Every structure is written in structure tokens, then in C-alpha cells.
Amino acid sequence: MFSHEMKEKIKQFAKEQAPYYLEEAEMTYMEKLRRKTGETKSKLMAKFAKFKSRSETAMEAENDMILYMSDYMKDLMEQGLSEQEAFERAKEELKFRSETTKSADLQERIVAHYHHMDIADYEAIGLFYGAFVFLGLSIGALVGFIGSGGWEMFLSGGWIRTLIGAIVGFLIGTGLGLLSNAIIVLKRKK
Amino acid sequence: MDNLSEMLKGILEGIVLEIISRGEIYGYEITKKLHALGFQGIAEATVYALLLRLEKNKLVHITKKPSDMGPPRKFYTLNERGFEELAAFWAKWDFLSERIHLLRTNGGEKNV
């Protein structure tokens, strides 16, 4: 029914897609690893080629997909589509919707993040920000105030320097707050 | 009917179990039966994934027969566990449809 080339294409598609449909529980360790790492798949495969990496279940799922896809394509061809058109349509219909996996992975990461989150760290970060901003504001404003000539000069233009000092102090304080945040995050990573 | 997929999500397994219970059948044949029943909107991938799940949950008995594509074709029949699951599905369906009917006709009041 199908050309040799088309049979190979169907096999290749099934080989790529069928594993995604298998639930995690059915996959071998290598299959799970492969699915998780996507981009490094080829490297991993080369590295671990000596280990059995495809379970019998995965190969069965692949065969099931070959037959299922072929049946679907035959159906489409009976409706008037060419072999190539039928293949393209079947490919589109049977392609694993990876959004499910992506969202599951994202959910896993969010759960892990909140699971490992230490409230004390976040409290410390907030206090650092607050402290540095207050200190920066106070020191900046004070330096600006004194530097501009004190109270006598404040009302006749010195207030601008005080204001500039306060703004610069605020920015320095925020910067130091960010720095303390980064230090805490890096410490947590170790 | 359009946009049935969301509603079908919870009951498609029961529908497919019922189809399989009627006699030995292979994967794409189930899809064709579903289409013939009017469930045109069901994606081909959904049925394929569902069959993998039925197999994984050991609800079906599988007989492999030679095919012209190379790999053997799987024919599905329900096993004992599959029949139990199907009975449970219909029990749930009866409960649900009765309540929905009640809601629709009497606003949920039994003795009106």
C-alpha cells in the first residue's frame, strides 16, 4: 500500500512520538532521562548506548503507532488524499502535544520551589532591602544637606543637593539590597 | 456535535470499554466506530493514548495477529477487570444521568 520511503517515514515518526505517550511509570530510567533532557538526547544515547535503553513496552507502543498511523493514512487516502498529504495530516494529528509535559514539568518545578522555600530567607531579603534603602536615603540626604551648606543654604537652593543626595542614597541602598539578595540566593544554591 | 471534547474527557474510556466489550477489535477500528457514532471531534491521538492506558491498567486482553505493515496488529477484548471497570462506569453514568435529569426537570428536587 505505502512506498518503502513512506514506510520508513512512518516508522521514524512512531519511534520519535510513541515514547511520549507512554506514562512515566512504564518507562525505563533511560527513557525518562531522555524525555527530561530533550536537547541532550543524542549525547546521552551515545554515552549510554551499551545499556538497554528501550523497554519492550516502548517498542510495542511504537509498533502500535505504526499500525494506527497506517490505518489512519489509508482511511485518508480512501477519502482522496495523496500519500504525502495523508502522512502530513496523520503526523499533525498524532504528534504528541508536549504542552502537557511542559506544564507538568513546570508544575513540578513550582512545587519543588515552594517545598524548599525557607520563609526566613525571604524575611532576611526584605529586611536587607529595607535597611539598605533607609540607610542610603538617610546618608545620601545628610551628605547632600551638609555638603550644600547646611540649614542656611537649604532654602536658597541647597535643597536640590539634599534631594539629589537622597535619590543617590536610595539607589545605592537598593543596589546593596539586590547584592544581599544575590548573596543569599547563591548561598542557598550551595 | 461540536465542542464535545471537554465533556467527553471523563467518559471516553467508558465508551471505548463498551465498544471493546462487543467483540474483538483493533485500535483504529475503535476510532472508526467512534466516528460512526457521531464522535467526529475525537482526535486520533486520544484513542491511541487511551488504548495504551487500558493496556497499562490491565483492562484488556490482547491477541496479536500478523499485519501487512510488519509489526503484529493488536486485537483487544475485555478481560475480567475490564468488565468490572465497565460495570462501574455504567453505574456512575446512571447515577450522574439520573441527577442531571432531576436537575433539568425539577431543579434538583426529588419529590416535586
Side-chain angles (χ1 to χ4, degrees):
Chain A
M1 175 89 185
F2 299 116
S3 63
H4 176 72
E5 191 192 346
M6 185 52 72
K7 279 183 181 175
E8 287 306 310
K9 279 184 182 176
I10 294 170
K11 278 181 191 168
Q12 187 56 40
F13 177 81
K15 194 174 181 178
E16 284 169 14
Q17 296 296 314
Y20 289 110
Y21 284 93
L22 283 176
E23 288 191 14
E24 297 263 336
E26 283 187 322
M27 291 182 172
T28 63
Y29 173 71
M30 276 303 297
E31 285 162 347
K32 279 184 193 173
L33 203 60
R34 217 185 277 169
R35 181 167 154 181
K36 287 273 181 199
T37 50
E39 287 174 8
T40 54
K41 181 177 151 186
S42 54
K43 287 180 194 168
L44 277 167
M45 280 176 77
K47 197 172 178 182
F48 297 107
K50 60 182 176 178
F51 296 116
K52 185 188 174 190
S53 64
R54 292 174 65 218
S55 67
E56 201 177 315
T57 318
M59 280 190 280
E60 273 199 23
E62 197 178 303
N63 286 339
D64 291 347
M65 180 168 270
I66 290 171
L67 289 169
Y68 194 86
M69 191 173 190
S70 307
D71 289 340
Y72 182 37
M73 282 175 65
K74 281 177 195 168
D75 206 14
L76 291 170
M77 285 161 75
E78 277 168 19
Q79 290 169 34
L81 267 69
S82 69
E83 188 181 78
Q84 188 58 35
E85 286 168 343
F87 177 66
E88 292 301 328
R89 171 86 74 84
K91 231 169 70 169
E92 186 55 37
E93 287 286 335
L94 291 169
K95 194 174 178 184
F96 183 74
R97 303 286 177 237
S98 58
E99 285 74 15
T100 317
T101 318
K102 280 180 190 167
S103 65
D105 287 347
L106 182 65
Q107 201 177 351
E108 258 177 42
R109 288 209 299 275
I110 291 169
V111 168
H113 172 77
Y114 282 104
H115 182 72
H116 295 113
M117 190 178 88
D118 191 342
I119 300 295
D121 285 345
Y122 287 87
E123 200 176 333
I125 289 168
L127 289 170
F128 268 122
Y129 271 113
F132 281 129
V133 166
F134 275 121
L135 278 172
L137 262 175
S138 312
I139 294 169
L142 192 64
V143 169
F145 179 73
I146 294 168
S148 65
W151 179 248
E152 289 81 22
M153 296 300 290
F154 183 76
L155 294 173
S156 56
W159 63 272
I160 295 174
R161 289 184 184 176
T162 308
L163 183 67
I164 291 169
I167 291 169
V168 171
F170 174 80
L171 291 174
I172 291 171
T174 310
L176 289 170
L178 287 166
L179 203 61
S180 61
N181 192 347
I183 291 166
I184 290 173
V185 170
L186 285 173
K187 272 186 183 170
R188 269 176 52 78
K189 268 187 81 177
K190 284 178 186 171
Chain B
M1 191 175 281
D2 291 336
N3 300 322
L4 271 178
S5 54
E6 280 302 314
M7 286 186 89
L8 276 174
K9 267 180 191 168
I11 57 167
L12 189 61
E13 186 174 312
I15 296 170
V16 171
L17 284 173
E18 180 59 43
I19 290 171
I20 298 173
S21 78
R22 301 297 170 122
E24 196 179 61
I25 193 165
Y26 64 88
Y28 191 68
E29 217 179 343
I30 295 170
T31 307
K32 282 172 93 170
K33 285 242 178 194
L34 286 167
H35 288 174
L37 277 165
F39 300 126
Q40 299 282 354
I42 295 170
E44 271 65 22
T46 312
V47 178
Y48 169 76
L50 179 58
L51 288 170
L52 286 181
R53 200 162 65 238
L54 293 182
E55 190 179 341
K56 187 208 147 206
N57 294 335
K58 296 181 171 54
L59 298 174
V60 286
H61 173 73
I62 289 163
T63 311
K64 290 180 185 175
K65 294 180 184 178
S67 76
D68 55 358
M69 273 299 290
R73 188 183 290 283
K74 280 182 184 171
F75 284 80
Y76 302 88
T77 47
L78 283 197
N79 59 22
E80 198 179 333
R81 205 166 152 186
F83 276 110
E84 282 170 14
E85 191 68 23
L86 179 60
F89 165 74
W90 283 126
K92 284 179 206 165
W93 177 260
D94 288 342
F95 172 81
L96 190 68
S97 60
E98 184 199 319
R99 301 297 140 150
I100 296 288
H101 180 71
L102 208 63
L103 177 70
R104 194 178 181 190
T105 52
N106 299 329
E109 299 295 323
K110 260 189 171 178
N111 303 314
V112 177

